[in-house]
């Protein structure tokens, strides 16, 4: 980190302990950490010379060794319902998306953790695009920094706050866990973005070893993309199930939840695909499966895209599914589609990957390595 020819430290992505040890290496006292973090995450400076309460010497050490680099915004779209979507460029040159969903009492930022995804869930557009690259901690938390700044500048009053962050943009966060953990820590840290741990939600398709590791490092909220009540069906829809079947996944979730303390549960996400997983038989199986599993359930009616091969169920079958779960005692919400007109809804994020054509040998190699990891 301190040698002249090593790359500059991407300082926006350092969690508090990482910042402390970086400053320690430069011979600085621990209290510097809070000064520097406030400049970076509260006052949004983009140049070390603006950090007026730190010495000129440290400022120039920073200039040499570190950089403040937000993801670059390529474009912004605004939906008629107020949802906003930004296309941003990663350091590796490819593009990824971030979505902001304002609601009456809260504002949710949906962040990406990877460009593309290796998991190939059958109903997901990001999955169709394949895996391109991991985002760094700085690029992940940078999405929050950029959007917070833009919203502050563009809007006033209602609909401006970011109260919640969900890892439901592009990618599988638990396959990029080393970068996701410091980013999550910064999101929840008062010296970072101060978002409540209940309101930062990591969503996973079911990377069981990742859930186990998460337990040792964070108490953020967890959501799992279950989408099917049996291994037979889940094997088809969410192929990672063949490696980590439902029983293992639910076990890992129970274990994670045991760490969260009272009144906090894991969220089960269940996409509704017409004729595939939305029938009476499926809801009965789901109730049976989740017996004694404390959770809340989010139903997500399928958001279509050309060539998907799936259909969104009718409103009445969605309601039927919800009512059955509510009768069985589960707090069950139906996620309303937001930002559909700008392709910002769940599963519609494709990042319009700038260099998809460059998915050459290098990317293929990474994809194979990632597949081997899971
Ligand atoms: N890889 C993570 C997070 C990204 S996807 C995960 O699988 O949880 C965020 C959520 O959107 C997941 O529940 C995912 O299954 C769901 N989703 C994907 N494609 C969708 C689509 N076309 N319509 C509705 N939801 C979709």
């Amino acid at each position: 980190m301190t040698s002249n020819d090593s790359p500059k430290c991407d300082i926006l992505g350092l969690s508090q302990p990482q910042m402390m040890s970086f400053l320690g290496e430069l011979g600085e006292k621990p209290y510097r950490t809070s000064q520097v973090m406030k400049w970076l995450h509260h006052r949004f400076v983009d140049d070390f010379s603006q950090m007026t309460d730190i010495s000129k010497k440290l400022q120039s050490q920073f200039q040499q060794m570190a950089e403040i680099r937000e993801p670059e915004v390529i474009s912004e779209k605004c939906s008629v319902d107020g949802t906003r979507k930004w296309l941003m460029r990663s350091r590796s040159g490819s593009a990824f998306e971030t979505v902001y969903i304002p609601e009456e009492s809260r504002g949710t930022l949906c962040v990406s953790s990877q460009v593309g995804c290796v998991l190939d869930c059958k109903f997901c557009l990001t999955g169709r695009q394949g895996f391109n690259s991991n985002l760094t901690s700085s690029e992940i938390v940078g999405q929050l920094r950029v959007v917070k700044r833009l919203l502050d500048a563009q809007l006033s009053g209602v609909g401006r706050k970011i109260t919640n962050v969900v890892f439901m943009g592009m990618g599988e966060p638990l396959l990029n866990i080393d970068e996701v953990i410091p980013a999550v820590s910064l999101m929840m840290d008062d010296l970072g973005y101060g978002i409540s741990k209940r309101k930062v939600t990591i969503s996973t398709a079911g990377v069981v070893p990742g859930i186990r590791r998460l337990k040792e490092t964070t108490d953020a909220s967890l959501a799992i993309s279950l989408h099917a009540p049996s291994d037979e069906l889940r094997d088809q829809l969410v192929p990672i199930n063949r490696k980590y079947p439902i029983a293992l996944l639910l076990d890992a979730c129970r274990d994670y939840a045991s760490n969260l303390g009272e009144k906090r549960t894991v969220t089960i996400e269940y996409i509704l695909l017409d004729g595939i997983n939305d029938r009476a038989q499926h809801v009965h199986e789901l109730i049976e499966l989740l017996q004694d599993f404390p959770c809340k359930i989010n139903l997500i009616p399928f958001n279509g895209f050309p060539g998907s091969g799936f259909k969104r169920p009718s409103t009445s079958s969605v309601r039927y599914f919800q009512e059955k779960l509510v009768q069985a005692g589960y707090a069950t919400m139906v996620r309303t589609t937001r930002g559909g007109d700008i392709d910002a809804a769940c599963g519609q994020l494709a990042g319009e990957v700038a260099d998809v054509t460059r998915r050459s040998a290098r990317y293929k190699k990474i994809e194979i390595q990632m597949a081997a990891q899971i």
Side-chain angles (χ1 to χ4, degrees):
M1 248 190 226
T2 51
S3 122
N4 277 340
D5 27 278
S6 57
K8 287 189 171 182
C9 172
D10 196 355
I11 202 166
L12 277 184
L14 298 185
S15 65
Q16 190 176 150
Q18 290 172 329
M19 179 67 83
M20 203 173 282
S21 81
F22 179 61
L23 289 167
E25 278 178 36
L26 300 179
E28 293 292 329
K29 296 258 163 23
Y31 72 85
R32 283 271 178 246
T33 305
S34 85
Q35 285 177 313
V36 174
M37 287 184 72
K38 283 181 189 162
W39 284 114
L40 292 174
H41 304 294
H42 296 179
R43 300 186 201 120
F44 307 129
V45 300
D46 51 22
D47 194 311
F48 296 109
S49 64
Q50 294 167 317
M51 300 184 170
T52 49
D53 59 0
I54 66 171
S55 66
K56 288 267 182 280
K57 181 175 154 246
L58 181 56
Q59 285 180 17
S60 84
Q61 276 178 307
F62 273 156
Q63 312 276 21
Q64 279 166 23
M65 282 171 208
E67 60 182 339
I68 305 171
R69 185 158 151 180
E70 276 182 351
E72 176 200 342
V73 173
I74 302 170
S75 66
E76 175 178 348
K77 285 185 184 161
C78 191
S79 157
V80 286
D81 67 17
T83 301
R84 284 158 187 255
K85 180 174 86 165
W86 293 268
L87 187 66
M88 302 192 193
R89 196 183 321 278
S90 77
R91 198 166 273 242
S92 68
S94 39
F96 60 91
E97 297 183 315
T98 306
V99 178
Y100 175 67
I101 308 147
E103 285 167 284
E104 217 156 279
S105 57
R106 61 183 186 175
T108 304
L109 189 70
C110 179
V111 296
S112 294
S113 55
Q114 298 182 311
V115 184
C117 188
V118 79
L119 291 183
D120 197 26
C121 299
K122 296 304 168 206
F123 43 78
C124 180
L125 184 58
T126 309
R128 298 262 165 123
Q129 160 194 319
F131 177 74
N132 183 302
S133 54
N134 277 327
L135 294 178
T136 63
S137 164
S138 160
E139 288 166 336
I140 297 168
V141 81
Q143 296 167 58
L144 176 53
R145 190 185 197 255
V146 169
V147 173
K148 202 165 154 41
R149 252 187 338 96
L150 290 175
L151 292 179
D152 279 347
Q154 290 171 356
L155 306 164
S156 56
V158 200
R160 175 165 73 91
K161 290 239 163 348
I162 301 173
T163 54
N164 296 56
V165 175
V166 293
F167 279 76
M168 295 182 190
M170 296 165 68
E172 168 50 49
L174 299 189
L175 288 180
N176 186 18
I177 194 164
D178 290 333
E179 300 297 320
V180 164
I181 286 170
V184 165
S185 157
L186 277 169
M187 288 169 178
M188 305 192 311
D189 191 331
D190 285 339
L191 291 176
Y193 297 85
I195 297 177
S196 149
K197 59 190 178 190
R198 293 167 183 272
K199 296 184 175 174
V200 175
T201 303
I202 299 167
S203 177
T204 178
V207 181
V208 167
I211 300 175
R212 302 268 182 214
R213 242 193 93 195
L214 215 52
K215 185 188 167 197
E216 294 154 24
T217 43
T218 186
D219 56 357
S221 294
L222 179 68
I224 57 162
S225 295
L226 187 64
H227 304 328
S230 66
D231 282 325
E232 197 189 355
L233 183 55
R234 196 166 191 270
D235 279 352
Q236 304 305 314
L237 297 175
V238 184
I240 195 183
N241 194 68
R242 296 174 205 157
K243 178 115 187 182
Y244 304 113
I246 294 175
L248 280 185
L249 176 58
L250 293 185
D251 256 7
C253 289
R254 263 192 208 95
D255 188 40
Y256 187 79
S258 70
N259 220 26
L260 293 182
E262 262 176 63
K263 294 197 187 150
R264 287 185 71 194
T265 55
V266 169
T267 301
I268 301 281
E269 295 166 279
Y270 193 101
I271 193 171
L272 288 167
L273 304 163
D274 187 39
I276 307 279
N277 67 350
D278 68 333
R279 296 293 135 108
Q281 155 214 350
H282 300 114
V283 74
H284 290 136
E285 281 175 17
L286 187 61
I287 291 167
E288 188 123 318
L289 177 71
L290 296 178
Q291 241 175 31
D292 307 322
F293 185 82
C295 61
K296 25 184 212 253
I297 301 173
N298 271 344
L299 298 176
I300 321 173
F302 172 64
N303 294 313
F305 53 87
S308 74
F310 293 107
K311 274 192 3 225
R312 167 190 280 248
S314 67
T315 314
S316 62
S317 37
V318 173
R319 202 170 303 133
Y320 170 83
F321 211 90
Q322 181 185 26
E323 273 165 14
K324 287 285 168 204
L325 290 167
V326 170
Q327 281 161 15
Y330 292 97
T332 309
M333 303 288 291
V334 175
R335 193 176 297 162
T336 43
T337 301
R338 298 287 304 264
D341 55 333
I342 55 165
D343 289 338
C346 281
Q348 291 184 327
L349 303 186
E352 297 154 28
V353 172
D355 57 359
V356 93
T357 46
R358 274 185 23 213
R359 282 190 58 213
S360 52
R362 189 170 88 80
Y363 293 125
K364 264 286 164 240
K365 202 167 138 219
I366 301 172
E367 194 162 338
I368 291 160
Q369 282 166 356
M370 300 277 294
Q373 245 186 60
I374 52 178

